[in-house]
Amino acid sequence: MLDIAPSQQAATWLGSFGRALEAGDIEAAANLFVEDCYWRDLLTFTWNIKTMEGQAAVREMLKATLPLAQPSHWRLSGEASVDDGIVEAWLSFETAVARGEGILRLKDGRCRTLFTAMSELKGFEERKGPGRPLGIRHKADPDRETWVEARARETRDLGVHEQPYCLVIGGGQGGIMLGARLRQFGVPTVIIEKNARAGDSWRNRYRSLVLHDPVWYDHLPYIPFPENWPVFTPKDKMGDWLEMYARVMELNYWVATKCISAAYDEAEKVWTVVVDRVGQRITLRPKHIVFATGAYGPPRQIALPGADAFKGELLHSSQYSTGERFRGKRVAVIGAASSGHDVSVDLWEAGAKVTMVQRSPTTVVKSDTLMEVGFEIFSEKALARGITTDKADMIVASTPFALVPKGQRALYDVIRERDADFYKRLSDSGFAIDFGEDETGLLMKAYRTGSGYYIDVGACELILNGEIAVKSGVGVKSLTANGILFEDGAELDVDAIVCCTGYQSMNETVAAIVSREVADEVGPCWGLGSGVKGDPGPWQGELRNMWKPTAQEALWFHGGNLALSRFYSKFVALQLKARMEGIATPVYGEPSNARR
């Protein structure tokens, strides 16, 4: 079979697979996979975001889901390719209620990985492209309601006279993108944001903040950044774009609104949510609530003995906005990941004397290097080859999380060789470097713990030149009246301390709004169960609780960076739309916290 053209190999496999499924022959379908296979499914069979690892897991999933899924019309999409003996093919298919797409990879004629993702619900397709709304009735009508009048009515009534089907708590990038998806699907939604304007979650950050990821990776759904947009977006420019986007996408977006409490009625299947909107208490009764408060939850405050004795200013990075008021002062920055570096640079630019306190090694990658070897499919060159952002999203999603470390380990072998002199100089300066417990680098740290890494956009040169001092490898024993006492007996006199110590899990936000019991039942968000520090097992195979059903009915989490929010917002919206329309959504697989 290896002598057969890639497309013919893929078509032969897909035909056999389709026939086995149509006949209900689960054993024949499972035998088309290699023993150590992976099938990652986004909703089409499982109504979940789940990866089946191994032939036995594929068999069990099909036994549970095949009768209702009723898959059919399996077809190749374009020509297959072959690389290092692996045949890769894009495909499309249908289920009883949806249309799907995916990517198939064959090894020696059998399936090594299969990726299936829902693209649309039958009968509830988005009104876009050829199906876009007309926007006007070509008829004289004394009772005509103009667009602006209809928007004013909707804005006035939703949440007051009419209840939203979904309430999105958090109006940053994640909440805005999910709101746009839900709007397109016709799901009545209110987004609440504590800040005064859409985009303030970016504007209120420290003045020098610029996105570390490139523009091709950061597009929002429906409205991509224009071709003259900078590769790296400044925070205030990002804030303005989000504000524009929320307005143009006609989102029902409540600013200056804080969620006070939420409780779920198991009998009525409805939430009672109390919000404070510009000083007025309002009670909402949505069917579903989505926490979109970022990838993480409340700020993580670390215990610093002697904090009460410290005479200077002690603040978390979430409270830091500018180094201007620290001009001429001595400032310690506790933390050496992204925020620690960015805040240190901002303080240095403002004229402060900065010491970075590094509590554990950091994975550092030069921005130029990562752009060239790490973002290859999100680039101008990729676009020239026909790899759009949507296609790149699918390529990334098609790789099971269990297989990502191998590729990342190989990538960082290349990066370390390429930038060997840079890493030697940085290490010689006293800065502690690592590439993760298993040498898999930045991306796996991002997935596992969301911490411990920095894309170098300028701070490292200041460290190498001695402009930013580093205290590494020694713990903080206590604070004193004038600064920090380290465990080696050294003292550092400072006027202020900025703790860049990260954030807690999003379920801690649930604890504050719903209850401690529900937060504990749902369990932590993010992480894969890899067993490394900060990401305890058991192995999950997917990010905990993100974008999928949780242990608490009708409670969802949505977040991540711009790329993850863009891609997975579609799947959260599809799940909510299906439930609103009464489509059966039997979820295969336990919630993330079930085996804790």
Side-chain angles (χ1 to χ4, degrees):
M1 187 174 183
L2 298 181
D3 296 330
I4 303 174
S7 292
Q8 190 173 344
Q9 288 189 54
T12 299
W13 187 94
L14 203 57
S16 298
F17 186 58
R19 287 190 295 273
L21 295 181
E22 187 174 349
D25 191 342
I26 291 170
E27 195 62 31
N31 285 335
L32 291 167
F33 291 79
V34 299
E35 191 63 39
D36 60 339
C37 64
Y38 297 86
W39 182 348
R40 187 171 194 232
D41 181 60
L42 307 189
L43 312 185
T44 58
F45 282 73
T46 62
W47 282 107
N48 201 349
I49 294 178
K50 184 168 179 60
T51 299
M52 282 57 66
E53 301 186 2
Q55 199 181 78
V58 169
R59 188 179 295 111
E60 290 304 308
M61 183 274 283
L62 287 174
K63 286 179 182 177
T65 65
L66 187 57
L68 193 63
Q70 299 176 32
S72 63
H73 297 88
W74 296 88
R75 298 185 181 91
L76 293 185
S77 303
E79 294 295 316
S81 61
V82 62
D83 183 27
D84 197 23
I86 302 296
V87 172
E88 179 178 290
W90 292 63
L91 57 90
S92 65
F93 65 102
E94 297 183 17
T95 67
V97 299
R99 296 179 186 89
E101 56 188 336
I103 300 176
L104 163 70
R105 296 186 182 95
L106 301 178
K107 180 181 180 181
D108 298 330
R110 299 169 77 196
C111 182
R112 170 65 167 151
T113 70
L114 179 62
F115 173 59
T116 49
M118 187 176 292
S119 53
E120 60 185 6
L121 291 164
K122 293 179 180 177
F124 302 102
E125 296 83 0
E126 290 184 67
R127 298 185 67 189
K128 62 181 183 179
R132 72 175 74 232
L134 188 60
I136 189 172
R137 287 179 60 203
H138 292 297
K139 180 182 178 181
D141 184 356
D143 297 320
R144 182 193 302 275
E145 185 179 45
T146 66
W147 172 84
V148 73
E149 291 164 349
R151 277 294 291 147
R153 172 180 50 77
E154 181 184 31
T155 302
R156 181 182 65 246
D157 291 350
L158 191 61
V160 180
H161 304 300
E162 300 172 11
Q163 289 300 313
Y165 183 78
C166 178
L167 175 69
V168 178
I169 300 171
Q173 63 201 38
I176 284 174
M177 282 191 257
L178 178 57
R181 298 280 195 189
L182 290 168
R183 178 79 181 182
Q184 290 299 105
F185 285 131
V187 179
T189 301
V190 167
I191 304 166
I192 61 172
E193 167 58 38
K194 65 183 180 181
N195 287 309
R197 294 166 58 193
D200 275 355
S201 56
W202 281 97
R203 293 189 192 94
N204 294 343
R205 302 291 300 279
Y206 40 91
R207 61 177 287 276
S208 60
L209 178 63
V210 174
L211 269 67
H212 295 180
D213 297 326
V215 63
W216 306 278
Y217 186 70
D218 290 336
H219 291 299
L220 276 61
Y222 309 116
I223 309 176
F225 294 115
E227 292 188 356
N228 65 340
W229 199 261
V231 173
F232 300 107
T233 308
K235 70 178 184 73
D236 296 283
K237 192 175 181 69
M238 188 72 227
D240 289 349
W241 184 263
L242 290 173
E243 187 171 34
M244 176 281 298
Y245 186 91
R247 185 177 181 89
V248 170
M249 294 303 295
E250 302 177 23
L251 305 187
N252 294 299
Y253 191 97
W254 292 7
V255 297
T257 303
K258 183 178 180 181
C259 190
I260 306 300
S261 65
Y264 189 63
D265 189 313
E266 299 285 350
E268 289 191 34
K269 306 295 184 186
V270 68
W271 288 91
T272 298
V273 184
V274 178
V275 304
D276 183 313
R277 187 183 188 190
V278 200
Q280 180 185 3
R281 291 291 175 101
I282 299 173
T283 299
L284 301 172
R285 290 178 62 81
K287 295 289 187 181
H288 294 262
I289 60 174
V290 181
F291 283 85
T293 53
Y296 318 109
R300 179 181 288 116
Q301 307 285 358
I302 60 171
L304 291 170
D308 292 342
F310 181 55
K311 295 179 181 178
E313 185 172 358
L314 177 63
L315 66 159
H316 187 269
S317 58
S318 60
Q319 302 165 302
Y320 177 93
S321 59
T322 176
E324 188 61 36
R325 59 196 180 91
F326 298 105
R327 182 180 299 276
K329 296 185 177 181
R330 301 161 300 175
V331 184
V333 175
I334 298 179
S338 296
S339 292
H341 281 80
D342 286 347
V343 168
S344 294
V345 170
D346 192 67
L347 286 163
W348 177 86
E349 290 180 349
K353 183 179 180 181
V354 186
T355 300
M356 181 188 292
V357 179
Q358 186 183 31
R359 299 180 300 153
S360 58
T362 307
T363 296
V364 176
V365 187
K366 295 176 71 173
S367 177
D368 291 348
T369 298
L370 199 59
M371 282 282 291
E372 189 165 327
V373 302
F375 282 105
E376 194 273 334
I377 61 171
F378 293 96
S379 66
E380 211 66 44
K381 291 180 180 177
L383 288 173
R385 300 201 317 270
I387 302 177
T388 63
T389 297
D390 287 343
K391 190 169 185 178
D393 281 344
M394 290 286 287
I395 293 170
V396 171
S398 71
T399 302
F401 280 109
L403 296 182
V404 175
K406 181 181 178 181
Q408 290 299 301
R409 201 174 290 115
L411 173 66
Y412 278 87
D413 286 344
V414 172
I415 289 173
R416 281 183 292 189
E417 181 178 354
R418 175 188 173 117
D419 294 329
D421 180 65
F422 166 74
Y423 288 121
K424 184 180 186 305
R425 291 170 59 218
L426 196 57
S427 181
D428 289 347
S429 75
F431 188 91
I433 302 167
D434 79 348
F435 293 93
E437 290 183 24
D438 54 356
E439 305 296 314
T440 53
L442 185 153
L443 183 64
M444 292 314 302
K445 279 193 173 184
Y447 283 144
R448 290 165 172 171
T449 64
S451 62
Y453 55 86
Y454 171 61
I455 299 174
D456 181 27
V457 290
C460 289
E461 197 61 34
L462 295 177
I463 292 171
L464 292 172
N465 293 338
E467 302 285 351
I468 293 175
V470 175
K471 179 73 174 178
S472 180
V474 181
V476 174
K477 184 174 183 180
S478 70
L479 301 190
T480 66
N482 298 316
I484 301 173
L485 174 64
F486 293 96
E487 290 177 348
D488 63 357
E491 294 187 46
L492 178 68
D493 290 345
V494 293
D495 303 298
I497 300 171
V498 183
C499 294
C500 297
T501 49
Y503 295 82
Q504 302 174 62
S505 170
M506 265 203 289
N507 72 319
E508 293 303 318
T509 305
V510 173
I513 291 174
V514 183
S515 70
R516 179 78 262 169
E517 293 74 21
V518 168
D520 289 343
E521 181 185 7
V522 168
C525 301
W526 215 255
L528 298 165
S530 61
V532 304
K533 183 181 179 182
D535 184 27
W539 174 248
Q540 301 287 313
E542 296 286 348
L543 290 169
R544 294 183 186 92
N545 281 318
M546 296 305 299
W547 317 299
K548 58 187 176 181
T550 67
Q552 169 59 57
E553 184 179 6
L555 185 151
W556 308 77
F557 293 99
H558 174 62
N561 61 21
L562 285 154
L564 291 171
S565 291
R566 172 186 65 245
F567 183 70
Y568 287 101
S569 58
K570 178 178 180 178
F571 299 99
V572 179
L574 282 166
Q575 291 172 86
L576 292 170
K577 175 65 172 179
R579 285 160 173 78
M580 188 182 84
E581 299 298 345
I583 296 171
T585 57
V587 178
Y588 178 77
E590 299 173 326
S592 293
N593 202 33
R595 292 175 288 158
R596 234 180 116 210

